[in-house]
């Protein structure tokens, strides 16, 4: 299902002096932030969880920036252009998930980090179930997902840079990767988080301005709603051109799956003080709603403009946003959105590389009983290794990058939602239930996504491999935990139990 | 100790998961059964998601303070609101120019963007902030951290 999350096609050429200058200025900001962050990164805790030093606003903007990849600006509006309001069901769960993550995970993860030495999500799973096997399995799932996700994001970054600078795809991919790796290796997650703040503000402001232009341009042509009702009324049906089951599936997967995205939820380890969480959902929701205006507005506006003959039809859905920006908005705003898109991709890659490096540096060695002594140095080395691997995949193999990319969201969701999100809120969950659930999520996602990717098996409309794997891992978690319920108490350390229940 | 509302939330998660599984199973069946699957999905998805929300929110700490009288009913209302909205979305067809408008949008589009999107997006964070403030003051005093 997540294949359409990937941006693999070239974008329309956007080479202009203003766009180029804004992008270069942004790259300079990113590098300066990386250098500044490297000066205060002195331990593995600094490198992986920013020394647990973040305030509320920073955590909120960083969580938003990590959640929204380039898909929010490029792929998403293209999908709205294609499916109408059906595609909005991907972002609709945001209405719930911002508060849900705060209630379900934020305080418990932060308090776990206080009582145990904890810097990764598999660390939290190990503490919850007192199980190195569960930690190791979760780390394997994260590593597989990270590699595919990072490769697709490097490719997407290369496509954006190529569209702006016209330097060729290979140069653009390696150039973009060099920039991301530079600040990730030196400044760790702190560099990423500081850049996330810049990026979050940039995304919210640019998105709101583009939305205003979308309404303004369509108003001059007859009005967004009247144009759509006259030329493409099905776009404004409740589930657009999607089947109802497909739209509800979007809501289910992206609603529940959010709780299992480690690059987002591990930001809660970084909070300085969990009592300040009170306004976290308000800040996150406000920033998200602003940033998603572009997602909803541009796709519908372009459909209305194309249907009424005021704009040419885009050659691919991914071209919807670039075409709208270049044709209907001032060059400075177009430049800001291109910079915002590149920034969104970079922040997502930074977060992925960081959690991938943590899995290699900390979770897998600990699961195997051989912890690494200098985790900061190992973390930097593994960040570099993973980045090189992901960039090489992005550059060399079109088919492989598409194949690996489909595992990202689904693997995170099916392996981590039951064991982490439910497990941290239910004392009856058992170690066996968690291990069985993570293993079944891993297996189901890989098998079902492969069957769907190779077209060996055709799912009915609305049913997806990701959703099936998520349902299976949830059911396995409940059934095995019930079956082994007599072991539940032994699975739970008293200090962890106190956090679960209060 | 697990609270009673939290037990209810856990059962909502289990029932919601089974409902979603059955809804997907129905998609493999003939069209008449598949249509029933859509309705089941419309009811099960909010039950499951709000159940998870309740699992996180209705802990012993919340049950000691004023939220114990408000949160469980707020979550029941949220399930009903979303389920009704999804069911209407499933049942509605393509809009017509003569359809009633709500704040500039045809009713079906308004239902999705305002009813299922904006309303919970505004109210839930405020509910969280309120519950955070009114939770018995033991947040720090409990000394959990």
């Amino acid at each position: 299902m997540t294949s359409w999350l990937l941006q693999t096609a070239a974008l329309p050429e956007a080479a202009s002096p203003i766009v180029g200058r804004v992008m270069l200025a942004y790259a300079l900001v990113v590098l300066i932030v990386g250098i500044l962050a490297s000066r205060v990164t002195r331990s593995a805790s600094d490198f992986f969880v920013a020394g647990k030093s973040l305030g509320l606003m920073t955590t909120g903007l960083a969580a938003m920036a990590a959640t929204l990849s380039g898909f929010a600006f490029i792929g998403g509006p293209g999908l709205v252009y294609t499916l109408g309001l059906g595609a909005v069901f991907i972002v609709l769960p945001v209405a719930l998930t911002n508060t849900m993550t705060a209630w379900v995970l934020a305080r418990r993860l932060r308090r776990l980090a206080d009582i145990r030495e904890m810097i990764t999500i598999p660390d939290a799973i190990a503490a919850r179930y007192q199980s190195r096997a569960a930690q190791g399995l979760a780390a394997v799932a994260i590593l597989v997902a990270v590699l595919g996700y990072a490769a697709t994001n490097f490719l997407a970054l290369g496509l954006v840079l190529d569209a702006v600078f016209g330097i060729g795809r290979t140069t653009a991919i390696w150039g973009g990767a060099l920039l991301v790796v530079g600040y990730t290796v030196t400044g760790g997650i702190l560099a990423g988080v500081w850049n996330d703040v810049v990026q979050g503000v940039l995304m919210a402001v640019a998105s709101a301005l583009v939305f205003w232009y979308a309404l303004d341009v369509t108003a001059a042509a007859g009005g967004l709603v009247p144009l759509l009702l006259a030329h493409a009324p099905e776009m404004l049906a409740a589930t657009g051109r999607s089947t109802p089951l497909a739209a509800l599936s979007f809501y289910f997967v992206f609603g529940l799956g959010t709780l299992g995205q480690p690059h987002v939820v591990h930001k809660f380890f970084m909070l300085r003080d969990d009592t300040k969480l009170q306004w976290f959902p308000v800040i996150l929701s406000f920033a998200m709603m602003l940033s998603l205006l572009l997602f909803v507005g541009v796709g519908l506006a372009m459909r209305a403009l194309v249907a009424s003959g005021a704009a040419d039809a885009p050659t691919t859905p991914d071209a919807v946003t670039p075409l709208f920006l270049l044709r209907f908005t001032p060059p400075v705003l177009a430049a800001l959105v291109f910079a915002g898109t590149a920034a969104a991709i970079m922040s997502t890659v930074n977060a992925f590389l960081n959690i991938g490096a943590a899995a290699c540096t900390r979770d897998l060695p600990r699961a195997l009983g051989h912890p690494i002594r200098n985790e900061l140095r190992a973390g930097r080395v593994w960040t570099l290794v993973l980045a090189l691997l992901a960039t090489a995949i992005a550059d060399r193999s079109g088919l492989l990058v598409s194949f690996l990319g489909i595992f990202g969201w689904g693997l995170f969701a099916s392996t981590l939602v039951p064991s982490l999100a439910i497990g941290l809120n239910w004392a009856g969950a058992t170690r066996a239930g968690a291990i069985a659930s993570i293993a079944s999520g891993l297996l189901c996602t890989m098998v079902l996504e492969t069957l769907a990717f190779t077209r060996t098996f055709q799912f009915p409309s609305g049913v997806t491999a990701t959703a099936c794997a998520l349902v299976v891992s949830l059911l396995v978690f409940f059934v095995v935990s019930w079956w082994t319920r007599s072991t539940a108490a032994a699975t739970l350390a008293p200090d962890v139990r106190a956090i679960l229940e209060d | 100790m697990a609270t009673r509302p939290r037990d209810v939330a856990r059962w909502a998660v289990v029932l919601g998961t089974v409902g979603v599984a059955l809804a997907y199973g129905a998609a493999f069946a003939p069209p008449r059964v598949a249509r029933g699957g859509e309705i089941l999905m419309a009811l099960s998805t909010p039950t499951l998601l709000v159940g998870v929300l309740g699992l996180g929110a209705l802990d012993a700490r919340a049950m000691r303070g004023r939220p114990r009288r408000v949160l469980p009913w707020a979550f029941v209302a949220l399930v009903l609101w979303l389920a009704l909205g999804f069911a209407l979305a499933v049942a509605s067809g393509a809009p017509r120019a003569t359809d009633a408008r709500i704040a500039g949008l045809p009713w079906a589009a308004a239902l999705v963007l305002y009813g299922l999107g904006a309303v919970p997006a505004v109210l839930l964070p405020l509910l969280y902030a309120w519950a955070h403030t009114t939770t018995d003051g033991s947040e720090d005093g409990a000394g959990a951290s």
Side-chain angles (χ1 to χ4, degrees):
Chain A
M1 104 175 264
T2 44
S3 55
W4 39 261
L5 284 172
L6 314 175
Q7 185 194 325
T8 51
L11 299 174
E13 193 178 316
S16 87
I18 291 179
V19 176
R21 269 181 231 139
V22 170
M23 293 284 277
L24 285 175
Y26 188 78
L28 194 64
V29 170
V30 165
L31 283 176
I32 291 170
V33 167
I35 292 166
L36 291 176
S38 70
R39 293 187 175 181
V40 291
T41 299
R42 295 195 178 88
S43 67
S45 171
D46 291 336
F47 191 80
F48 291 120
V49 290
K52 298 176 189 169
S53 64
L54 302 189
L56 178 66
M57 189 67 83
T58 312
T59 310
L61 286 170
M64 183 196 86
T67 305
L68 301 179
S69 65
F71 177 75
F73 277 11
I74 303 290
L79 208 59
V80 172
Y81 176 85
T82 308
L83 296 178
L85 288 187
V88 172
F89 279 73
I90 293 169
V91 294
L92 217 50
V94 161
L96 254 63
T97 54
N98 295 330
T99 308
M100 196 156 73
T101 47
W103 249 321
V104 172
L105 288 173
R107 198 166 60 91
R108 293 192 169 86
L109 282 176
R110 183 61 189 82
R111 293 197 167 183
L112 270 180
D114 276 338
I115 61 165
R116 303 286 172 91
E117 188 211 351
M118 191 163 295
I119 55 180
T120 68
I121 291 302
D123 267 344
I125 289 175
R128 165 63 183 85
Y129 301 103
Q130 302 188 77
S131 167
R132 293 293 173 206
Q135 180 177 25
L137 267 177
V140 168
I142 285 174
L143 205 53
V144 174
V146 156
L147 204 57
Y149 241 161
T152 56
N153 275 278
F154 277 133
L155 176 59
L157 182 60
L159 294 171
V160 172
L161 295 179
D162 185 31
V164 172
F165 295 109
I167 51 179
R169 185 180 293 191
T170 295
T171 311
I173 288 173
W174 285 97
L178 191 66
L179 182 63
V180 178
V181 170
Y183 83 82
T184 305
V185 170
T186 54
I189 199 68
L190 198 58
V193 164
W194 287 353
N195 274 317
D196 284 350
V197 173
V198 178
Q199 179 218 326
V201 173
L202 185 65
M203 284 178 82
V205 171
S207 170
L209 287 172
V210 171
F211 183 71
W212 185 82
Y213 271 97
L215 293 182
D216 192 51
V217 169
T218 49
L224 180 60
V225 172
L227 281 175
L228 285 174
L229 286 176
H231 300 288
E234 73 282 5
M235 304 297 283
L236 291 179
T239 58
R241 285 179 173 169
S242 301
T243 63
L245 188 63
L248 292 169
S249 245
F250 286 153
Y251 196 95
F252 163 64
V253 169
F254 287 94
L256 198 58
T258 301
L259 293 171
Q261 303 303 307
H263 56 298
V264 179
V265 298
H266 104 298
K267 298 276 190 290
F268 295 126
F269 287 143
M270 303 173 198
L271 261 178
R272 187 169 50 230
D273 176 6
D274 70 305
T275 60
K276 298 286 188 291
L277 276 169
Q278 180 179 9
W279 298 106
F280 176 82
V282 172
I283 291 170
L284 189 56
S285 294
F286 182 68
M288 279 274 202
M289 282 199 284
L290 277 182
S291 298
L292 290 172
L293 286 174
L294 189 153
F295 183 107
V296 180
V298 167
L300 290 177
M302 271 302 275
R303 174 60 69 181
L305 293 167
V306 168
S308 65
D312 295 329
T315 49
T316 67
D318 279 354
V320 165
T321 300
L323 283 180
F324 180 83
L325 293 171
L326 296 171
R327 170 90 194 269
F328 297 109
T329 67
V332 174
L333 184 55
L336 281 178
V337 175
F338 275 108
T341 305
I345 298 168
M346 286 194 287
S347 90
T348 306
V349 177
N350 166 275
F352 283 141
L353 292 178
N354 194 268
I355 59 167
C360 296
T361 305
R362 188 176 173 90
D363 300 317
L364 287 174
R366 284 179 181 231
L368 297 171
H370 301 290
I372 290 176
R373 199 167 293 170
N374 190 341
E375 289 183 334
L376 176 60
R377 192 174 60 194
R380 285 186 162 136
V381 171
W382 274 112
T383 302
L384 193 62
V385 170
L386 290 176
L388 284 173
L389 204 54
T391 312
I393 292 170
D395 183 31
R396 295 284 167 185
S397 171
L399 191 64
L400 183 62
V401 75
S402 300
F403 178 63
L404 288 175
I406 60 174
F407 293 129
W409 180 277
L411 258 185
F412 286 148
S414 65
T415 55
L416 298 181
V417 167
S419 56
L420 183 74
I422 311 285
L424 279 183
N425 292 280
W426 177 38
T430 66
R431 182 184 302 156
I435 291 173
S437 161
I438 297 171
S440 61
L442 191 60
L443 190 69
C444 278
T445 304
M446 300 199 73
V447 170
L448 295 179
E449 291 284 14
T450 303
L451 290 177
F453 184 80
T454 56
R455 299 182 193 280
T456 309
F457 179 75
Q458 198 85 31
F459 286 97
S461 172
V463 183
T464 62
T466 305
C468 289
L470 181 54
V471 169
V472 167
S473 72
L474 277 167
L475 290 175
V476 166
F477 181 69
F478 285 121
V479 169
V480 176
S481 288
W482 180 81
W483 194 261
T484 57
R485 61 191 179 281
S486 60
T487 65
T491 301
L492 198 51
D495 54 347
V496 177
R497 174 184 283 274
I499 289 174
L500 257 62
E501 295 188 343
D502 199 29
Chain B
M1 255 182 78
T3 62
R4 190 173 167 76
R6 215 177 188 192
D7 288 339
V8 174
R10 194 177 71 248
W11 279 108
V13 176
V14 173
L15 290 176
T17 307
V18 172
V20 170
L22 291 174
Y24 282 138
F28 291 86
R32 203 165 58 87
V33 180
R35 184 74 179 164
E38 290 171 352
I39 297 293
L40 185 60
M41 188 76 179
L43 303 178
S44 303
T45 302
T47 305
L48 169 52
L49 288 177
V50 180
V52 174
L53 190 63
L55 212 50
L58 302 171
D59 54 17
R61 182 168 149 276
M63 289 301 102
R64 283 198 294 269
R66 272 200 291 165
R68 78 174 184 275
R69 286 193 291 272
V70 177
L71 288 185
W73 297 110
F75 292 152
V76 170
L78 182 61
V79 172
L80 294 175
W81 176 265
L82 293 175
L84 183 66
F86 286 141
L88 284 172
V90 168
S92 67
R96 289 165 299 194
T98 52
D99 277 356
R101 302 269 181 97
I102 301 171
L105 291 174
W107 76 265
L111 167 78
V112 172
L113 293 175
Y114 304 145
L116 299 173
V119 169
V122 170
L123 292 184
L124 263 182
L126 294 176
L127 185 68
Y128 178 87
W130 172 81
H132 204 280
T133 315
T134 54
T135 300
D136 77 355
S138 67
E139 180 175 278
D140 302 312
S145 66

